[in-house]
Structure formats: C-alpha cells, structure tokens
Amino acid sequence: MGYHLNFGVVWRNFDLLLSGLALGLGLAVVAIFIGCWIGLAAAFAMNSKHATWRRIASGYVTVFRNLPPYFLIVFAYFVLPRLGLTFGKIETFIVTLAIYGGAYLTEVFRGALLALPRGLREAGLAIGLTEWQTKAWLIIPVMLRNAFPSLGNNFISLFKDTSLAAAIAVPELTFYARKINTETFRVIEIWLVASLMYVAACYLIAAGLRFFERRLAIPR
Amino acid sequence: MFEQGTFLYELWVSRWALLQGVGATVLISLLAILLGTILGVFVGLVLVYGRWASRFVVRMYVDFVRGTPVFVLVLASYYLLTQIGIQLTAFQAGLVALVVFCSTHVGENLRGALQSLPRGQTEAAKAIGLTFPQLFVYVLAPQALRQALPAWINTATEMVKASTLLSVISVAELMLATKQIVARNFMTLEFYLLAGLIYFLINYAIERAAKAAERRVALPS
Amino acid sequence: MAQPILQIENLHKKFKDIEVLKGVDLALDTGDVVSIIGSSGSGKTTLLRCVNMLEEFHQGRILIDGEEIGYSGPQHKAKRESEIARQRAMTGMVFQQFNLFPHMTAQRNVTLGLTKVKKLPADEANAIAEKWLARVGLKDRRDHYPGQLSGGQQQRVAIARAVAMNPKVMLFDEVTSALDPELVNEVLSVIQDLATEGMTMLLVTHEMKFAFEVSDRVVFMNQGRIEEEGPPEELFRKPKSQRLAEFLKSSKF
C-alpha cells in the first residue's frame, strides 16, 4: 500500500480541530436551549384541551421527526433565501437544528408529563396557586428531573448532528477535518483523530450528565 | 397543464431523474438496513454471549461508531475506501458507512432487549431440560425480538435519513437528483418541497407499517 | 430397603467466599413429601436449586434414582451442558415468580418440554398437556396467554408444565409467596392432590399450616445446615432446637 502514518500534520492543525469541536458544542447548546422551549410548548400543547393546539403540535412532531436533518439544513440554507428569508449561516443552522430537535424533545417532555403524579397539579391549585404558577413551580421542575436522562441523550444526538453544519461551510470539526484531508491527503490520520475527538466529547458529555443527574436527584 | 414553465411540466420532464433518485434512496436504505441488521444481530449476540475478549473488541467497535456522527462515518469511509487500498465506488463506500452505523444500533438494541428478559425465563426453560440453543431459539429470541421491534423501526427511519448524506459524496440519490434538477430549471422551492414530501412519505409509511407489525405480534393480555 | 429416589450427601456450596451450604445430607424415598422451612438466608432455596443444577456446588453429591447429578467421580468434574440438561428433565421445578413463557399459550408452555426435550410427537404431547391442564382446573384456559391469566392460574399452569414432564422429583420454591392471599388456596389444593397421588416432592415454603398438613417429614434449616428433621407433629409441636422454637413462634404457627 505504501501509506506511511504521519500524525504530524494533524497535530499542527490540532488547534483548528479543537476550535471546530468547541463551535460544534456551542451550536448544540444553543440549539437545545431553543429546542427545549419549542418542545415544552409543543408538549403542553399536546396535552391541552383544545383540539387545534393538539393537532398543530402533533403535526409538527410527525413532520419533523420523519424528515432527514440534512434535508432540512439544505432547505433552510438554499431554498428559503429564494423566498427572501436570508439569514446568517450559523443562525440558520442553529434554528433548523432547534426545530428538528424540538420535535424529539416534545416526545421526551410529553412522556415526562404523563409520568407525573396525578395529584401534583391539584395539590398546587388547592393551596391557591394559579395554573401558571403550578406549571412553573411544581410541574416543570418535577418533569425536568424525570426528563433529564432522555434530555441528555437528545443533547448528545444533537451534538453529533452539528457535524452537518460542515455541509454549509460552517467552520466546525468536520469541516476542518475535510479541509485538512483535501489539503494534505492524510486520510487515515485525520479521520481517526476527528472521530476520536467526537467519541471523547460524547463520552465526557455523558459522564458530565450522569454527574449532574445524581446531584439533581430528589433524595429517596 | 403541461405548459412549459409550470411545475408540472418540469416534473414530467425530470421524471426519470427523480425516479432514479428515489430508487437510489430506497435501494441504499434497504441495503443498509438489511446488511446492517444481519451484522447487527451478530454484534448483539457477541455483546451478550461472547467471551470476554470478543465482547471487549465488539464493545469498542460499537462505542467508537456510536460516538461518531454519521456524516463523519460517510466522509471517512469515502475518503478512506475510494482513494486508499480498496478503491470502492462512492456508492459502495457510503453504503459501508451506513451498514456499520446500522449494525451498532441494531446490536445495542438487541443487547438491551436480551438483557431485559427476566432471568426466570432462562431458569424455567433450563428446569424443563432445554439446552441453551433450544432455550435461545424458543424462549429468549421470540421475546427479545418483540422487545426490539420499535427500536429497530426507528433505526430503519434513521437509515433513510442518513441516505441523504451520500449526496455529499456524489451518489445520485434523491437529494443530489433534486439539486441537479433545480440547477436546470431554478424551481428550487417546488422541487425541494417535493423531495421533502417524498422523504416524509417514505418514513411515515415505515412508521405505520411498524405500528401494524407491532400490533400483530403483540401478545394478548 | 429400596434406594432413595433423591439423595443429597454432604452438600457444600459457596457464593464467592461465603459458604451458604455447610454439609447437607438429605434422603427422600419415592412418594415422600418433604417441606423445608427456615428463615431467609438459611440456604433452603439454594439447596433446592442445587438439585436441578440451577446452582453449582463444589463439594458433595446429589443422586436422583442412583444417578449422580451435575458432576462425576471423586474429582467432582462437571458434566457436559447437554448431559446436565437431560438430567434436569428428571426433576420438575415450580418457581415463586411462575416464570411462564409469556409468548406461548398455556398449552404450548406445557408441550414445549414434551416436544423438544422428550421428543414426543405433537398429538401425544397435546394430549398429555390437556390432561394436566384439566387436572389443575384450567382446561378451558389452555389457549390463553399468561398475560390473560391471574397469578393463581399462572402458577397452576406452571405446575402442569413441570408435572407433565413426568419427573422423578418435584421441586417447589416458595410457590405461593408471590400470590395474593385469596389465590393461595387454589395452588395449595393442587399440590395437595399431587401429594396424595404419590408424587415425590421437596417444597421450600413459608406456609407452615400447609407444610404441617401435607408433609411426611419437615426439615428445619438454619445457616446452611439442617438443624432438625422429623415428622410434622414432632417438629411443629415439640421442637428440640431453640432456634426452631423461636422460628415457629415468630411465624405464628
């Protein structure tokens, strides 16, 4: 084969790769933050008394869970400008990822809402809290604790999906990996390192999440 | 209706390109799911029943692949396998990446399903004198497969979604076909909406088929 | 005197470094019904599970109808898996958690062993299954799945599943502990019928009254040893050991 491994090229560009990884993390954090609000709203909508809200939320979930995220990104970046909706690359990507992730998060929150003890809302109302107050102080805190493991998994998924930003030339890890690959042809080294960086990042995120889960847990 | 310049006219003109794109998407997804499931069953069995050394190797394989984004797997596979050594086509390289990706998901799901079965099932089967191969085939596998079905359907839709990434390595599936058609007739919105509809319908059909299958194999209670 | 159908000789078993069975000797003749009582941790369930090799043991012998179970020879060499499977079919076990196969009907739960282990033809297996399901009072439920049956019904199917294999010894592991109180009697009466018909049975149980009524002999285990053994009238009315007396008092017998 005549291929000699030479990691030097990769190490020289390591700071670039690392910055790409950090950007990816940043994109994921903002996306999940926005996505959580969307997901919470949709989850409550799916539980609402009004059929219209239920149908809208349900439709949103069904549509966006069945569409490829890459398709959505291409659509948002290449098609929407034709309608006059042009935004920056990063903004477009984050919002698209948030809307995509929100569909999954809706299911997470909906499940967590259903798992709530029934009397919780009524106990809140019984001491005189309004619906909004019971939601804010009782329902959402308990529900978030229930949802935490699934939320964590979704975050890791979303983080991996930030690699798609490379397709619209956002300077995250995969973009740099591809750039270095085409410039230096150190195929094995660069993809091995890029992959390991993602794996390590996911592992660290998972470990961090487990730590927080224990700290947040209600003592029993 | 079929006047030049309308969407329907352009649709008719590009019908073959579109059909080929859809066909390629379906072919890629089917192959990826099929081969990925076969490999994945093997992966799952090793994870549950393998010797320490095999379990370790397969565990590393699964954790490495699952921690890597699909996009990276596809790109890596493309650059590695089309330029060095083996010299596969872009289609083949992309397929390899998807099969590997699918196998780790199927393997993990199967492992989870098998390990969630109560120990009492194995014990009761042993108590009536069944050997391990017998109790695996008649008692464990049927229950594990029922358990793993929803997750497997989810993996199947993920494979359809992942097929879109092959457009980046120039495989002529639906995304790339749409891009090429639009480059000619500039009806960006219409054709991309069409592509989106097609992807939605494929995945939605899989979802519905899955629900029906789940109901059919469900145990009466 | 005829050879005992079940012979346990000097049985020792360790879990990691803790010895849970410290030299148990027990013999059952054909038709004997023996109940094992004792507090949790006394080793009674472990002893039962050694008989059908669901637990391994490192010292001692177990013989069923003269055949050495699980291990051979003075070196205590383990038998092959297929051999052990064959030997397991000589006993029948009923579990506390029933452990019915949820994806099979009651009938199929019973015929599985008959067709796959005993290699009986389908119609013979079905006939046997129907007979035993009728005997436990569930003839009209034989096409039901475990999920459609109550706890007591499931346990009766489990008994039919074990007995249909025509075992030499029946092993019952606290079979009523997981049942709601009102379902316990239907299971106990099935066991009583089997005992009356001469089935050799070894029962681990908490049901003291039942043990008193059905057993030929009762064994009291404590900390991995048999502390006292004898006919129920003796053991329950005139316990010799202090711990047995305390145990009986706390069980409110």
Side-chain angles (χ1 to χ4, degrees):
Chain A
M1 195 154 81
Y3 188 88
H4 301 286
L5 285 178
N6 173 13
F7 282 89
V9 185
V10 178
W11 298 142
R12 274 197 291 279
N13 289 300
F14 198 68
D15 55 337
L16 232 68
L17 294 172
L18 217 53
S19 78
L21 182 65
L23 179 64
L25 268 167
L27 293 171
V29 167
V30 181
I32 202 163
F33 181 74
I34 301 175
C36 272
W37 289 105
I38 301 177
L40 263 174
F44 279 116
M46 280 182 96
N47 270 356
S48 126
K49 288 167 291 190
H50 304 286
T52 328
W53 285 125
R54 284 204 305 271
R55 269 188 234 126
I56 295 178
S58 172
Y60 160 65
V61 170
T62 310
V63 167
F64 283 92
R65 283 192 356 159
N66 283 314
L67 287 174
Y70 178 63
F71 167 82
L72 290 170
I73 290 164
V74 165
F75 190 87
Y77 189 66
F78 292 108
V79 180
L80 289 185
R82 295 309 198 97
L83 298 175
L85 298 160
T86 317
F87 308 99
K89 253 190 280 210
I90 292 193
E91 290 87 340
T92 313
F93 180 79
I94 291 178
V95 171
T96 310
L97 196 61
I99 295 178
Y100 176 68
Y104 286 90
L105 290 172
T106 310
E107 281 306 296
V108 170
F109 290 134
R110 200 172 67 87
L113 274 175
L114 286 173
L116 286 176
R118 280 185 189 274
L120 187 61
R121 178 179 155 271
E122 289 173 357
L125 294 175
I127 59 175
L129 296 172
T130 64
E131 290 280 6
W132 280 109
Q133 284 175 317
T134 19
K135 272 206 187 69
W137 300 117
L138 298 177
I139 297 190
I140 293 184
V142 176
M143 184 201 69
L144 283 178
R145 273 184 187 77
N146 281 348
F148 195 79
S150 297
L151 253 176
N153 286 337
N154 266 280
F155 177 66
I156 293 178
S157 257
L158 238 54
F159 167 63
K160 285 190 277 177
D161 285 335
T162 60
S163 60
L164 297 172
I168 56 174
V170 168
E172 62 83 57
L173 176 55
T174 310
F175 174 79
Y176 281 128
R178 216 174 163 195
K179 189 159 172 291
I180 295 173
N181 178 81
T182 40
E183 282 170 7
T184 70
F185 291 105
R186 293 272 126 221
V187 195
I188 297 181
E189 296 90 323
I190 185 60
W191 290 113
L192 190 63
V193 169
S195 194
L196 281 171
M197 286 176 78
Y198 275 110
V199 174
C202 287
Y203 182 76
L204 288 170
I205 296 173
L209 288 170
R210 274 196 299 268
F211 174 73
F212 275 114
E213 195 179 336
R214 266 193 302 262
R215 287 200 59 197
L216 279 178
I218 303 169
R220 32 175 69 245
Chain B
M1 194 166 71
F2 285 110
E3 290 156 19
Q4 230 189 12
T6 66
F7 171 65
L8 286 172
Y9 175 77
E10 290 299 334
L11 180 58
W12 177 252
V13 162
S14 354
R15 66 193 182 283
W16 285 124
L18 264 177
L19 278 172
Q20 276 172 346
V22 174
T25 294
V26 170
L27 180 66
I28 294 169
S29 312
L30 269 174
L31 280 175
I33 295 169
L34 219 67
L35 298 171
T37 301
I38 295 174
L39 182 59
V41 167
F42 180 70
V43 166
L45 289 176
V46 172
L47 282 175
V48 179
Y49 299 118
R51 271 170 302 146
W52 185 90
S54 343
R55 273 208 327 265
F56 183 77
V57 168
V58 173
R59 187 79 252 166
M60 288 290 116
Y61 165 74
V62 170
D63 286 349
F64 185 77
V65 171
R66 288 193 68 168
T68 310
V70 194
F71 193 35
V72 172
L73 288 173
V74 168
L75 289 174
S77 175
Y78 173 71
Y79 287 115
L80 277 167
L81 299 176
T82 59
Q83 282 159 25
I84 305 216
I86 318 183
Q87 308 260 315
L88 297 175
T89 66
F91 180 90
Q92 292 164 335
L95 193 59
V96 166
L98 294 183
V99 168
V100 164
F101 179 70
C102 183
S103 72
T104 58
H105 279 254
V106 172
E108 263 299 294
N109 290 334
L110 186 60
R111 181 196 66 79
L114 279 169
Q115 291 182 335
S116 75
L117 295 178
R119 280 189 62 204
Q121 287 297 298
T122 310
E123 292 187 350
K126 277 187 183 174
I128 56 178
L130 291 172
T131 62
F132 185 76
Q134 284 177 319
L135 74 90
F136 183 79
V137 168
Y138 295 110
V139 176
L140 297 180
Q143 296 186 61
L145 290 175
R146 266 186 189 81
Q147 275 263 74
L149 188 61
W152 185 80
I153 293 302
N154 193 53
T155 305
T157 58
E158 286 300 308
M159 300 322 294
V160 173
K161 294 187 205 172
S163 72
T164 56
L165 297 171
L166 266 60
S167 65
V168 177
I169 56 175
S170 312
V171 173
E173 42 69 74
L174 183 54
M175 286 294 285
L176 190 58
T178 308
K179 187 172 167 193
Q180 289 166 343
I181 292 171
V182 160
R184 241 191 342 100
N185 62 35
F186 299 102
M187 293 188 150
T188 321
L189 181 66
E190 292 89 335
F191 278 93
Y192 272 105
L193 277 177
L194 178 65
L197 182 67
I198 294 175
Y199 278 115
F200 175 78
L201 287 174
I202 295 178
N203 277 332
Y204 191 68
I206 295 178
E207 217 185 271
R208 297 250 67 140
K211 294 278 163 63
E214 258 181 274
R215 255 177 286 131
R216 282 201 62 200
V217 296
L219 297 170
S221 58
Chain C
M1 183 158 85
Q3 160 185 272
I5 192 127
L6 173 64
Q7 182 119 356
I8 300 173
E9 287 173 6
N10 193 28
L11 194 65
H12 288 260
K13 177 178 170 63
K14 271 199 291 223
F15 269 128
K16 307 259 172 90
D17 289 319
I18 307 173
E19 214 179 13
V20 280
L21 292 174
K22 300 178 185 154
V24 175
D25 295 281
L26 186 62
L28 269 75
D29 293 317
T30 314
D32 277 355
V33 176
V34 174
S35 293
I36 309 180
I37 62 174
S39 25
S40 355
S42 56
K44 51 193 204 298
T45 294
T46 313
L47 177 65
L48 201 75
R49 288 160 61 93
C50 285
V51 174
N52 71 346
M53 281 298 285
L54 284 182
E55 300 285 353
E56 296 172 344
F57 51 94
H58 65 276
Q59 196 188 341
R61 294 200 308 169
I62 298 180
L63 299 111
I64 296 181
D65 211 1
E67 192 182 322
E68 219 181 318
I69 296 295
Y71 303 90
S72 339
Q75 269 97 7
H76 198 73
K77 195 159 146 334
K79 290 194 154 103
R80 269 186 333 188
E81 182 61 39
S82 50
E83 182 65 13
I84 296 180
R86 187 192 60 77
Q87 291 183 326
R88 286 200 185 106
M90 293 198 291
T91 57
M93 176 171 262
V94 185
F95 299 83
Q96 184 177 354
Q97 301 293 340
F98 333 139
N99 292 343
L100 287 183
F101 307 130
H103 57 303
M104 297 180 181
T105 59
Q107 173 100 353
R108 185 69 182 126
N109 261 271
V110 179
T111 60
L112 184 68
L114 297 171
T115 51
K116 302 295 171 193
V117 178
K118 300 197 121 171
K119 315 262 200 256
L120 298 176
D123 27 325
E124 202 182 324
N126 278 315
I128 297 176
E130 280 173 31
K131 174 184 110 184
W132 282 107
L133 284 170
R135 281 287 307 281
V136 302
L138 289 170
K139 181 165 141 199
D140 52 343
R141 293 269 199 272
R142 59 181 199 275
D143 290 320
H144 281 53
Y145 286 85
Q148 298 170 302
L149 301 173
S150 76
Q153 291 170 329
Q154 288 187 56
Q155 196 60 300
R156 285 187 275 148
V157 174
I159 295 175
R161 176 176 65 177
V163 175
M165 296 284 286
N166 198 19
K168 302 189 180 172
V169 180
M170 276 289 283
L171 308 167
F172 293 87
D173 186 3
E174 304 208 32
V175 300
T176 53
S177 300
L179 291 174
D180 291 332
E182 62 269 16
L183 301 172
V184 166
N185 281 326
E186 64 192 65
V187 173
L188 292 183
S189 79
V190 169
I191 301 178
Q192 174 73 273
D193 289 340
L194 288 174
T196 315
E197 284 159 26
M199 172 71 75
T200 315
M201 309 205 291
L202 191 56
L203 300 100
V204 169
T205 184
H206 284 317
E207 299 278 337
M208 299 301 162
K209 190 158 155 300
F210 181 68
F212 181 78
E213 285 164 2
V214 80
S215 323
D216 298 315
R217 254 184 306 146
V218 177
V219 167
F220 173 65
M221 278 192 74
N222 186 36
Q223 297 190 343
R225 287 195 176 84
I226 293 184
E227 192 140 313
E228 224 179 297
E229 190 179 337
E233 306 77 46
E234 258 182 51
L235 221 89
F236 282 116
R237 297 276 154 77
K238 299 188 221 114
K240 290 195 204 86
S241 87
Q242 163 130 25
R243 262 182 290 249
L244 176 54
E246 283 167 9
F247 176 76
L248 289 173
K249 219 161 67 143
S250 69
S251 315
K252 297 195 196 71
F253 178 72

